[in-house]
Amino acid sequence: MSNKIALVTGGSRGLGKNAVLKLAEQGIDIILTYNTQHHEAETVVREIEYIGAKAAALQLDVSNSQTFDSFIENVRSTLAKIWERDNFNFLVNNAGIGIHASFADTTEAQFDLLMNIHLKAPFFLTQKLLPLIADGGRILNVSSGLTRFCLPGYAAYSTMKGAMEVLTRYQAKELGARGIAVNILAPGAIETDFGGGTVRDNVQVNQYVAKNTALGRVGMPDDIGGMIAMLLSEHSGWANGQRIEASGGMFL
């Protein structure tokens, strides 16, 4: 029997990279997307192949929905060429950016960019990929702990993530007839280069997060990559339409 395949957007760096490596360790093959970092993406492909899984890296700018149709065709041809298949099993809508701006100072351009990347892309990209997702598959969206607790500077970003939590429930309801489960993972503050690496590189921010987290430290990429792999495993098959937070207990 052929391996299951996961398509992970933004899989060339940060949490996405960690997730695809954890999935590969479970024997899952990978299609990962990157925006501009082709070399980084190909390096991740080599790492996945070293683990023993198959992988391919495809370019995708999630901020531009006009490119989605050509991306779908690229996925279709990649599946046929590498796997001799016409579908994949898991979709992880991970790609994203961070913009830190107060509600009073957020520009319309910043709002539109965040909406295009964090809400419009997962909505329409998932819609267009539905014919390629195998019945009985799984979709995992990505939210943020910031939809439960509030920190100044993330009004627009968190608004999009909150909308994704609602969308996740609707997707679960409407795709259930195909046996497709849909959940959303909400990470807390994690040490990555996301948003300029603030949590990782700013000592004061790092200490503030650790002090306000029940487990006493900031999250690491392994904490989230492992959760993504778990939520796509057969052991989590009955979880559906759920928001799962992985924050170590921030602001309990």
Side-chain angles (χ1 to χ4, degrees):
M1 187 174 125
S2 60
N3 284 7
K4 291 187 175 178
I5 304 169
L7 193 162
V8 181
T9 65
S12 65
R13 48 186 277 276
L15 298 183
K17 175 182 176 181
N18 191 276
V20 299
L21 294 176
K22 286 285 192 295
L23 289 166
E25 288 171 4
Q26 291 192 353
I28 295 171
D29 292 340
I30 302 293
I31 298 174
L32 63 95
T33 79
Y34 65 94
N35 185 11
T36 58
Q37 303 295 325
H38 177 259
H39 178 72
E40 284 186 24
E42 289 301 326
T43 300
V44 177
V45 167
R46 300 288 90 78
E47 291 182 56
I48 293 167
E49 290 174 341
Y50 181 78
I51 291 169
K54 293 181 182 178
L58 305 180
Q59 197 279 331
L60 173 66
D61 178 2
V62 292
S63 72
N64 183 4
S65 61
Q66 299 302 307
T67 66
F68 290 177
D69 285 339
S70 61
F71 172 73
I72 302 304
E73 289 309 309
N74 206 357
V75 173
R76 198 186 302 274
S77 62
T78 300
L79 286 168
K81 180 180 178 183
I82 297 179
W83 286 277
E84 297 181 344
R85 284 177 52 178
D86 59 4
N87 60 28
F88 62 93
N89 306 93
F90 309 123
L91 172 62
V92 182
N93 286 307
N94 166 76
I97 63 165
I99 293 178
H100 186 270
S102 70
F103 168 72
D105 295 331
T106 299
T107 66
E108 197 168 340
Q110 288 174 322
F111 183 96
D112 287 346
L113 181 60
L114 286 167
M115 181 179 68
N116 286 340
I117 291 173
H118 290 286
L119 179 56
K120 186 176 182 179
F123 191 106
F124 288 103
L125 188 63
T126 303
Q127 181 191 77
K128 290 175 180 294
L129 283 168
L130 284 177
L132 300 183
I133 299 175
D135 289 354
R138 299 177 73 79
I139 297 170
L140 183 63
N141 298 316
V142 177
S143 181
S144 169
L146 290 162
T147 61
R148 178 178 63 82
F149 52 80
C150 298
L151 294 172
Y154 297 100
Y157 173 84
S158 301
T159 294
M160 307 311 161
K161 292 302 191 182
M164 282 303 302
E165 293 181 6
V166 174
L167 176 62
T168 295
R169 296 197 295 273
Y170 274 85
Q171 289 173 327
K173 187 78 168 179
E174 296 191 17
L175 300 178
R178 292 182 52 193
I180 295 173
V182 189
N183 295 294
I184 188 160
L185 176 64
I190 310 295
E191 283 195 15
T192 69
D193 59 1
F194 186 79
T198 304
V199 174
R200 182 190 62 198
D201 302 332
N202 185 307
V203 175
Q204 287 79 19
V205 170
N206 195 294
Q207 291 176 344
Y208 174 77
V209 170
K211 186 176 74 171
N212 287 285
T213 300
L215 290 179
R217 64 172 175 84
V218 169
M220 303 301 289
D222 276 351
D223 296 320
I224 305 303
M227 279 294 296
I228 291 173
M230 186 193 79
L231 289 169
L232 296 182
S233 76
E234 65 272 16
H235 303 298
S236 301
W238 200 233
N240 193 22
Q242 300 304 303
R243 176 192 188 271
I244 298 100
E245 183 172 315
S247 69
M250 278 185 73
F251 296 111
L252 294 177

